[in-house]
Amino acid sequence: MGPSSMHNGNSLQQAPAPQRITVRVPATSANVGVGFDVLGLALDLTATFMFSPSSQLQISGCAPKWQGPDNLVWTSYQAACRQLGAEPTPLCIGIYSPIPSSGGLGSSSTCVVAGIAAAQVLHGSGYDKESALDLATRLEGHPDNVAPAIRGGLVSSFVEGDQTCALRWNVAPNLRFVCMAPPYQVLTSEARKVLPQSVPLQTATWQMGRCVAMVQALMKGDAQLAGRCCEDHLHEPYRSKLIPDYQRLRQTSLDAGASAFVISGSGSTMLAIADGDESAARVAEAVDGTVPGMWVRTLRANTFGTSVQVEKD
């Protein structure tokens, strides 16, 4: 094998078909409490996808039921090929993901982004963040997970016509995110059904002010401000009822010194926001073992977003 090259969003020149493409996509947490369907945060937990030419479709590293043609990585690759006007080619796809599949940390978004990136490299002019974001938003239906997965950091996004606008900020290095994924799922479809279809003007006002404050808190590392502004009135009061252990984990986390506690995406994963390693360690120790089989990790924010590595002869 010859030299490898790392690409974080700049277009590649057309080149002979690579022997292997490695795409790394971070986990994400949508909403961050008060930023419903707007804010998303990339975390330093990374899924790795490896693509190489094959005589027939081969998928490994996921449950057997997802190793067929309906695999989300493969279907996203096919969708991107259609956009590029290219014919999909059989691939050997290796998936290595530490992200819990119970929901709330963007495991499906990593698959969508990886498939799109592979198609852009194999059949286009290379990985391009902006066009990848537009297509990923169309495939996912909303940008709150795919935007931070692609760009890293804290992202506020909205859709205007066919384009997704994503504003990005770095997250302060002192903040830690204690992730708790119970051993059960909350289906996104069910989490949508429980939400009210309209809200009072007072609720909208409450939400807007706190959403802006949360951006400031995460940028500046102001954990106290994050705690003051994290109380959501749009979705968490309804979705928390779908998570049996929500109230217990929330109270345990806050009692142990967490500054804020939010549902990650539509759940079932939850996040405690802590100021520094010592505070995060106390929170993680307090919640670990309270729910049998619960996955607990302390993570920093991810800065870089999706990266693509290409190996050629």
Side-chain angles (χ1 to χ4, degrees):
M1 288 290 179
S4 299
S5 56
M6 185 69 73
H7 305 276
N8 288 303
N10 296 324
S11 295
L12 307 172
Q13 298 299 315
Q14 191 68 39
Q19 293 298 306
R20 177 180 291 176
I21 302 167
T22 301
V23 183
R24 296 181 175 88
V25 190
T28 52
S29 180
N31 304 326
V32 201
V34 290
F36 177 62
D37 276 5
V38 172
L39 295 183
L41 172 70
L43 299 167
D44 66 345
L45 182 70
T46 303
T48 301
F49 303 84
M50 302 182 74
F51 302 84
S52 57
S54 177
S55 59
Q56 61 183 6
L57 177 63
Q58 301 178 58
I59 302 174
S60 62
C62 59
K65 66 178 179 178
W66 299 121
Q67 292 180 6
D70 57 349
N71 178 278
L72 187 56
V73 181
W74 173 249
T75 58
S76 300
Y77 162 78
Q78 290 178 304
C81 286
R82 288 193 294 270
Q83 185 190 48
L84 293 166
E87 185 69 25
T89 57
L91 295 172
C92 178
I93 303 173
I95 302 172
Y96 308 92
S97 178
I99 303 172
S101 59
S102 55
L105 286 178
S107 58
S108 65
S109 293
T110 65
C111 296
V112 170
V113 172
I116 292 170
Q120 288 184 328
V121 173
L122 285 168
H123 304 288
S125 59
Y127 173 53
D128 178 74
K129 288 186 177 184
E130 297 306 318
S131 58
L133 177 57
D134 290 337
L135 179 56
T137 298
R138 287 197 291 274
L139 294 181
E140 279 277 89
H142 47 83
D144 52 356
N145 278 115
V146 294
I150 290 171
R151 300 198 61 188
L154 174 67
V155 179
S156 175
S157 52
F158 63 90
V159 178
E160 181 70 26
D162 292 331
Q163 293 188 319
T164 300
C165 180
L167 306 176
R168 183 197 176 282
W169 301 272
N170 285 328
V171 176
N174 61 297
L175 296 179
R176 300 292 180 270
F177 304 90
V178 183
C179 304
M180 308 162 211
Y184 49 79
Q185 288 184 304
V186 172
L187 296 176
T188 301
S189 57
E190 295 300 315
R192 289 277 174 184
K193 288 179 182 177
V194 300
L195 300 182
Q197 295 303 302
S198 61
V199 297
L201 179 62
Q202 183 179 6
T203 299
T205 303
W206 169 283
Q207 206 75 14
M208 286 189 291
R210 284 161 176 78
C211 182
V212 174
M214 180 60 78
V215 171
Q216 178 79 359
L218 296 179
M219 286 174 56
K220 299 296 186 182
D222 190 337
Q224 184 179 10
L225 177 58
R228 291 172 57 197
C229 70
C230 73
E231 184 181 346
D232 168 82
H233 283 187
L234 284 183
H235 68 109
E236 290 197 354
Y238 311 97
R239 289 175 166 175
S240 61
K241 297 174 183 177
L242 302 177
I243 305 173
D245 300 290
Y246 170 83
Q247 292 295 346
R248 176 166 52 141
L249 290 170
R250 179 180 183 275
Q251 195 59 54
T252 300
S253 298
L254 295 176
D255 288 346
S259 300
F261 189 90
V262 299
I263 297 174
S264 185
S266 58
S268 59
T269 301
M270 293 151 279
L271 294 186
I273 302 174
D275 188 359
D277 290 322
E278 292 184 6
S279 179
R282 289 193 296 270
V283 174
E285 183 179 6
V287 300
D288 197 16
T290 58
V291 178
M294 185 171 69
W295 180 93
V296 180
R297 296 289 187 281
T298 298
L299 303 174
R300 299 171 183 247
N302 169 284
T303 301
F304 301 105
T306 295
S307 65
V308 179
Q309 182 176 346
V310 181
E311 297 180 2
K312 304 183 182 72
D313 278 340

